[in-house]
Structure formats: structure tokens, C-alpha cells
């Protein structure tokens, strides 16, 4: 857990301590520039998250794994792999449709945080000043400087430059009252929702794979959390519903979602209902951007405000990292 530090004035205020905000802050911090991160979550990481259920079992209920195809991300990853903060996940993945299994045609190298996905965020967050568990509700511009209004800390600032590393709709909420030149581009971006269900089963699911991309089902993805490196051997599964199904059921109560997704699991896998020891669902309002922008970040040089995130040049963890990383480098060079 990163200690909560009170927000201070700095050259850069970065809203959002997900992968994009952390990557951007890392670049600035390493170059000796002063930054202050803000996040409404209790831990950094945003959608790279690990949730603890009753009984202490932990589940990766957001991002399941990440790829590292770009040389700069590979370069950042190498020492973290050596330190054991992240590891390769070599579990067998398949495609699944109503019990019919198709092997993955060309397996990709996949990585996970150890002992949970949130370890990736912790690795990025080390040494950065992050003000957690406080939602920023308003940003104001006074005499050429940015000021923020946070629910707990109140008025914070001043900051010379503002970075919004938030899902586009949340960034728009804060920026829309300012004449920011890239607002129309942000407004064109959507992020699809996702229902996630975490299940602790009494006995092993009768399958010989660690995860599956699911078709012809409310589900899009299932994974054995326990098959990832550094996790306890308990039979823990994470289920993700598809975007259309998640949108259509967005306002249903979690207990209903729990029941529907369990049934979808038994049908997809082709087995009888199994005993469940514990379960919990989570609704991600902004999960995945179906059509990210081609630009890695957007910047308004007049107002000294920039935005980054997986919806810029993304999607996914690697895209979020590269978005924040490139924005950070550009800000350092100015
Ligand atoms: C269910 C699910 C499954 C996924 N699976 C994968 C996968 O397998 N592989 C993969 O690579 N990617 C996956 N992704 C996508 C991946 O998690 C994201 O692309 C990436 O984490 C986005 O990072 P980000 O920094 O752009 O945004 P976020 O992680 O969303 O970070 C934004 C941060 O801003 C904070 N925030 C928002 N509003 C405010 C406010 N007003 N004040 C203060 N703080 C605020 C939030 O708390 C959050 O921490 C998945 C995502 C979800 C939800």
C-alpha cells in the first residue's frame, strides 16, 4: 500500500493514478520535475486492480494480464521481471463456445503482477507523491495556474500544468467548462462497461485450461486466478461479461448478475452447477475503449493541460503505459 500523502503544490498536477497517470508521473519525477498525483481510489492502479474477498482470497477483477510488445515497455519491464514484481503467465488459454474448445492459434507472451495485478501499479507508483481516496470534483484556472477542488482536501494548488489521466468521460466532466481545444476529440471517445464476477469454488472446475475467450454467451472471458504465478492454490475464477451484455444489464442488482453469470459459466464450460464458497461482482462503468484515438495523448499548449490514458493510442495496459510515458517525455522536453 502506498502511503497517503497530503496534496502539495507542484509544477504538475496529475489526476488519475492508473497506469497512464503513473507512467507520466514517473517520467517527470525521474527528470527532477515536481508532480502531485490524485486518485479517488484507496490504492493506485485504477483498472489494474486486485480485490480481497471474505476469507482473504484475492482476485484480479480488472485487467487480467498484459502484453509487452513495444521496446520501451519491454525495457521498463525487464528489471521488474528480474525483481519478481511481475511474471510471465503461461497458463493454457483456449477459445470456448458452448463447451466446444479451440486451442489458441498463436499464443502470446502474457504477464501478470505478483502476487496480484495491483503489484504492477505498485511497481510504477514507488516514490511518487500520490494523494489517494479523494475525488477531484472541479478544476479551476486562476491567473494562469490550475487549482483543484478535492472532496476531502478542499482547494489544492497552484499547479502550472494539469494532466488528466482519466477515462475520457471522467476527464470531460472536469474540463468541459474550460475552452480546451481538444474537447471535441475526447467527446468522440466511448468506453464500454464490463460486469466482473469473482468465484471461489469448493472443487476444481472440470477443465484443463487456465482461461478462455468465450463466445455465444453473456461471458467474454473466464480465467483461473489461481493459475497465475504467486497466487494461492484455492479454486478462484474471474468471469467477465461482454460489453453488450454488460450494457444491457448495467442497472441490474449485483445478486441477479451473480446468478446469471454463474449459469453462463456452467453452460459455457459444459458442466453441472458447482458449489460456490464465496462470490462477488463488480461493475466497471468504463472498462475498455472499443475505438481508441490514434494519438498517444492530447495537449492544449495555451491552457497547459494534457490528457492521456488507454483511450489515447491504446487500448489496454500497454497502451495506457505508452500514452502516459510519451506524454511525460514530451512534458519533460518543454
Ligand atoms: C474488466 C476489465 C478487464 C480488462 N482486461 C484487460 C486485460 O486483460 N489486459 C489489458 O491489457 N487490459 C485490460 N483491461 C484494460 C486496462 O485495465 C486499462 O486499459 C488500463 O488499466 C487503463 O489505465 P488508465 O491509466 O488509462 O486508466 P484507469 O486505470 O481507469 O485510471 C484512471 C484513474 O483515475 C481515477 N479517477 C477517475 N476519476 C477521478 C476523479 N474525479 N478524481 C480522482 N481520481 C479519479 C480512477 O480511480 C483511476 O485510478 C481491462 C479493464 C477492465 C475494466
Amino acid at each position: 500500500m502506498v502511503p497517503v500523502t497530503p496534496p502539495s503544490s507542484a509544477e504538475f498536477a496529475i489526476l488519475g493514478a492508473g497506469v497512464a497517470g503513473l507512467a507520466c508521473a514517473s517520467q517527470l519525477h525521474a527528470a527532477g520535475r515536481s508532480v502531485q498525483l490524485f486518485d479517488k481510489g484507496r490504492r493506485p492502479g485504477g483498472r489494474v486492480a486486485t480485490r480481497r474477498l471474505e476469507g482473504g482470497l484475492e482476485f484480479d477483477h480488472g485487467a487480467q494480464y498484459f502484453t509487452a510488445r513495444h521496446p520501451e515497455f519491454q525495457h521498463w519491464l525487464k528489471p521488474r521481471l528480474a525483481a519478481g514484481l511481475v511474471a510471465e503467465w503461461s497458463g493454457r488459454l483456449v477459445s470456448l463456445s458452448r463447451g466446444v474448445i479451440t486451442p489458441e492459434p498463436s499464443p502470446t507472451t502474457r504477464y501478470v503482477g505478483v502476487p496480484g495485478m495491483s503489484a504492477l501499479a505498485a511497481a510504477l507508483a514507488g516514490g511518487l507523491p500520490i494523494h489517494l481516496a479523494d475525488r477531484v470534483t472541479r478544476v479551476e484556472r486562476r491567473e494562469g495556474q490550475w487549482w483543484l477542488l478535492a472532496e476531502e482536501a478542499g482547494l489544492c494548488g497552484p499547479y502550472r500544468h494539469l494532466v488528466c489521466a482519466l477515462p475520457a468521460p471522467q476527464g470531460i466532466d472536469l474540463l468541459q467548462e474550460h475552452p480546451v481545444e481538444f474537447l471535441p476529440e475526447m467527446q468522440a471517445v466511448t468506453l464500454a462497461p464490463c460486469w466482473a464476477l469473482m468465484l471461489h469454488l469448493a472443487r476444481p472446475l472440470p477443465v484443463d485450461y487456465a482461461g478462455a475467450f468465450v463466445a455465444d454467451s453473456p461471458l467474454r472471458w473466464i480465467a483461473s486466478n489461481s493459475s497465475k504465478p504467486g497466487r494461492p492454490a484455492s479454486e478462484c475464477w474471474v468471469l467477465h461479461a461482454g460489453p453488450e451484455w454488460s450494457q444491457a444489464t448495467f442497472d441490474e442488482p449485483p445478486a441477479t448478475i451473480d446468478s446469471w453469470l454463474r449459469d453462463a459459466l456452467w453452460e459455457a464450460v459444459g458442466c453441472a452447477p458447482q458449489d460456490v464458497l464465496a462470490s462477488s461482482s463488480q461493475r466497471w462503468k468504463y472498462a475498455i475503449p472499443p475505438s481508441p484515438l490514434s494519438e498517444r495523448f492530447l495537449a492544449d499548449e495555451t491552457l497547459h493541460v494534457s490528457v492521456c490514458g488507454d483511450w489515447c493510442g491504446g487500448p489496454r495496459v500497454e497502451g495506457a503505459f505508452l500514452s502516459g510515458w510519451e506524454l511525460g517525455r514530451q512534458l519533460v522536453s518543454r
Side-chain angles (χ1 to χ4, degrees), residues 1-8 14-18 21-22 25 35-45 121-122 124-134:
M1 180 76 128
V2 175
V4 177
T5 52
S8 58
I14 302 183
L15 309 192
L22 292 170
V35 296
Q36 176 64 59
L37 282 141
F38 292 79
D39 202 290
K40 64 185 170 68
R42 282 185 310 223
R43 291 190 202 184
L124 264 169
L128 295 173
I130 310 181
H131 178 66
L132 290 165
D134 204 356

XYZ file of all heavy atoms in Angstrom, residues 1-8 14-18 21-22 25 35-45 121-122 124-134:
276
model
N 0.847 -1.195 0.000
C 0.000 0.000 0.000
C 0.885 1.248 0.000
O 1.795 1.368 0.810
C -0.888 -0.053 1.242
C -1.826 1.116 1.369
S -3.219 0.993 0.274
C -4.545 1.220 1.412
N 0.623 2.152 -0.917
C 1.400 3.389 -0.979
C 0.865 4.350 0.080
O -0.341 4.524 0.207
C 1.264 4.015 -2.383
C 1.955 5.353 -2.459
C 1.821 3.073 -3.429
N 1.738 4.974 0.913
C 1.222 5.862 1.953
C 0.494 7.067 1.357
O 0.857 7.565 0.303
C 2.488 6.304 2.701
C 3.628 5.944 1.832
C 3.194 4.875 0.902
N -0.554 7.494 2.058
C -1.316 8.654 1.595
C -0.568 9.913 2.017
O -0.255 10.098 3.181
C -2.722 8.649 2.223
C -3.497 9.886 1.795
C -3.463 7.387 1.839
N -0.249 10.755 1.048
C 0.434 11.999 1.385
C -0.511 13.153 1.090
O -1.267 13.100 0.123
C 1.707 12.169 0.539
O 1.357 11.996 -0.838
C 2.766 11.161 0.913
N -0.496 14.195 1.918
C -1.377 15.324 1.626
C -0.949 15.995 0.329
O 0.241 16.017 0.009
C -1.187 16.249 2.830
C 0.066 15.810 3.482
C 0.315 14.396 3.103
N -1.898 16.510 -0.444
C -1.519 17.116 -1.717
C -0.745 18.408 -1.498
O -1.046 19.174 -0.593
C -2.865 17.397 -2.386
C -3.846 17.463 -1.278
C -3.336 16.590 -0.184
N 0.277 18.604 -2.314
C 1.023 19.853 -2.199
C 1.040 20.534 -3.555
O 0.676 19.947 -4.568
C 2.448 19.572 -1.717
O 3.072 18.697 -2.613
N -1.371 15.676 -11.574
C -1.801 14.567 -12.430
C -3.023 13.922 -11.796
O -2.947 13.391 -10.680
C -0.666 13.533 -12.620
C 0.552 14.237 -13.235
C -1.134 12.372 -13.494
C 1.719 13.332 -13.552
N -4.151 13.991 -12.480
C -5.389 13.395 -11.972
C -5.503 11.985 -12.524
O -5.548 11.795 -13.737
C -6.606 14.215 -12.414
C -6.556 15.717 -12.142
C -7.929 16.332 -12.353
C -6.062 15.995 -10.743
N -5.538 11.005 -11.613
C -5.632 9.608 -12.028
C -4.299 8.916 -11.844
O -3.316 9.241 -12.516
N -4.258 7.972 -10.885
C -3.040 7.182 -10.653
C -3.242 5.766 -11.163
O -2.907 4.791 -10.504
C -2.664 7.198 -9.176
N -3.847 5.652 -12.356
C -3.849 4.382 -13.081
C -2.509 4.258 -13.801
O -1.590 5.070 -13.589
N -1.430 7.576 -15.708
C -1.006 8.675 -14.838
C 0.313 8.365 -14.149
O 1.189 9.233 -14.023
N 0.476 7.107 -13.722
C 1.714 6.715 -13.037
C 2.902 6.746 -13.996
O 4.000 7.186 -13.628
C 1.561 5.311 -12.433
C 0.570 5.192 -11.271
C 0.319 3.725 -10.927
C 1.081 5.938 -10.038
N 3.802 10.373 -14.559
C 4.451 10.926 -13.366
C 5.871 10.386 -13.206
O 6.773 11.124 -12.795
C 3.619 10.590 -12.130
N 5.790 16.744 -9.133
C 4.454 16.275 -9.523
C 3.628 15.997 -8.270
O 4.173 15.700 -7.207
C 4.504 14.967 -10.365
C 5.196 15.178 -11.674
C 5.160 13.836 -9.597
N 2.320 16.093 -8.415
C 1.397 15.652 -7.369
C 0.285 14.869 -8.050
O -0.427 15.403 -8.912
C 0.820 16.847 -6.610
C -0.223 16.478 -5.569
C 0.351 15.625 -4.438
O 1.274 16.042 -3.744
N -0.182 14.421 -4.255
N 0.186 13.577 -7.692
C -0.875 12.731 -8.249
C -2.090 12.741 -7.329
O -1.943 12.822 -6.100
C -0.379 11.290 -8.381
C 0.531 10.979 -9.568
C 1.633 10.031 -9.147
C -0.267 10.376 -10.713
N -3.272 12.604 -7.922
C -4.525 12.494 -7.169
C -5.280 11.274 -7.669
O -5.338 11.036 -8.880
C -5.428 13.717 -7.412
C -4.901 14.995 -6.841
C -3.902 15.700 -7.497
C -5.407 15.502 -5.659
C -3.408 16.891 -6.979
C -4.929 16.690 -5.129
C -3.926 17.382 -5.784
N -5.887 10.517 -6.761
C -6.765 9.429 -7.204
C -7.871 9.212 -6.186
O -7.647 9.304 -4.981
C -5.991 8.126 -7.415
C -6.740 7.192 -8.358
O -7.796 6.655 -7.961
O -6.285 7.033 -9.510
N -9.046 8.891 -6.687
C -10.178 8.654 -5.780
C -10.119 7.265 -5.159
O -10.804 6.997 -4.173
C -11.504 8.865 -6.501
C -11.794 7.912 -7.649
C -13.085 8.326 -8.329
C -13.341 7.603 -9.632
N -13.616 6.182 -9.527
N -9.309 6.376 -5.712
C -9.208 5.019 -5.178
C -8.343 4.960 -3.923
O -7.560 5.865 -3.650
N -8.491 3.841 -3.174
C -7.682 3.682 -1.955
C -6.274 3.214 -2.271
O -5.384 3.268 -1.438
C -8.354 2.690 -1.002
C -9.519 3.325 -0.243
C -10.047 2.352 0.755
N -10.287 1.076 0.087
C -11.353 0.326 0.276
N -12.258 0.697 1.122
N -11.507 -0.816 -0.365
N -6.099 2.672 -3.477
C -4.778 2.246 -3.932
C -4.576 2.794 -5.335
O -5.551 2.978 -6.064
C -4.705 0.726 -4.062
C -4.757 -0.058 -2.799
C -4.406 -1.479 -3.186
N -4.874 -2.458 -2.238
C -4.603 -3.748 -2.342
N -3.896 -4.199 -3.360
N -5.034 -4.604 -1.454
N -3.319 2.975 -5.755
C -3.110 3.341 -7.153
C -3.386 2.140 -8.058
O -3.430 1.010 -7.593
C -1.622 3.729 -7.187
C -1.002 3.038 -6.035
C -2.069 2.856 -4.991
N -3.578 2.392 -9.331
C -3.733 1.281 -10.290
C -4.978 1.366 -11.138
O -5.004 0.843 -12.241
N 0.915 -1.851 -10.575
C 0.714 -0.436 -10.251
C 1.648 -0.007 -9.125
O 2.226 1.084 -9.160
C -0.741 -0.201 -9.860
N 1.817 -0.880 -8.132
C 2.706 -0.539 -7.012
C 4.136 -0.352 -7.518
O 4.859 0.537 -7.051
C 2.641 -1.627 -5.947
N 5.001 0.743 -10.423
C 5.063 2.038 -11.112
C 5.002 3.203 -10.128
O 5.552 4.269 -10.371
C 3.862 2.162 -12.055
C 4.024 1.811 -13.520
C 2.657 1.758 -14.180
C 4.904 2.819 -14.236
N 4.296 2.982 -9.008
C 3.994 4.088 -8.091
C 5.121 4.398 -7.119
O 5.110 5.466 -6.501
C 2.731 3.746 -7.291
N 6.093 3.490 -6.992
C 7.133 3.647 -5.972
C 7.764 5.033 -5.974
O 8.254 5.491 -7.000
N 7.743 5.716 -4.831
C 8.424 7.002 -4.678
C 7.642 8.206 -5.172
O 8.085 9.343 -5.001
N 6.477 7.990 -5.772
C 5.719 9.131 -6.303
C 4.772 9.693 -5.243
O 4.178 8.927 -4.480
C 4.894 8.694 -7.524
C 5.687 8.239 -8.747
C 4.737 7.675 -9.804
C 6.486 9.403 -9.316
N 4.597 11.013 -5.187
C 3.633 11.589 -4.241
C 2.206 11.418 -4.757
O 1.824 12.034 -5.755
C 4.029 13.069 -4.177
C 4.813 13.324 -5.413
C 5.305 12.031 -5.969
N 1.437 10.551 -4.084
C 0.071 10.257 -4.538
C -0.905 10.581 -3.416
O -0.771 10.058 -2.306
C -0.096 8.773 -4.925
C 1.019 8.325 -5.869
C -1.460 8.551 -5.583
C 0.910 6.875 -6.307
N -1.868 11.401 -3.709
C -2.933 11.701 -2.750
C -4.110 10.800 -3.111
O -4.744 10.975 -4.154
C -3.307 13.183 -2.842
C -4.411 13.562 -1.922
N -4.273 13.531 -0.555
C -5.680 13.960 -2.167
C -5.412 13.905 0.001
N -6.281 14.166 -0.958
N -4.387 9.809 -2.231
C -5.375 8.772 -2.544
C -6.708 9.021 -1.844
O -6.805 9.862 -0.947
C -4.825 7.404 -2.115
C -3.653 6.870 -2.945
C -2.963 5.722 -2.227
C -4.115 6.435 -4.330
N -7.698 8.230 -2.253
C -9.016 8.214 -1.612
C -9.658 9.592 -1.560
O -10.303 9.958 -0.582
C -8.896 7.614 -0.199
N -9.475 10.374 -2.591
C -10.048 11.724 -2.635
C -10.417 12.047 -4.086
O -9.544 12.069 -4.963
C -9.027 12.736 -2.089
C -9.699 13.994 -1.557
O -10.934 14.106 -1.680
O -8.977 14.856 -1.016
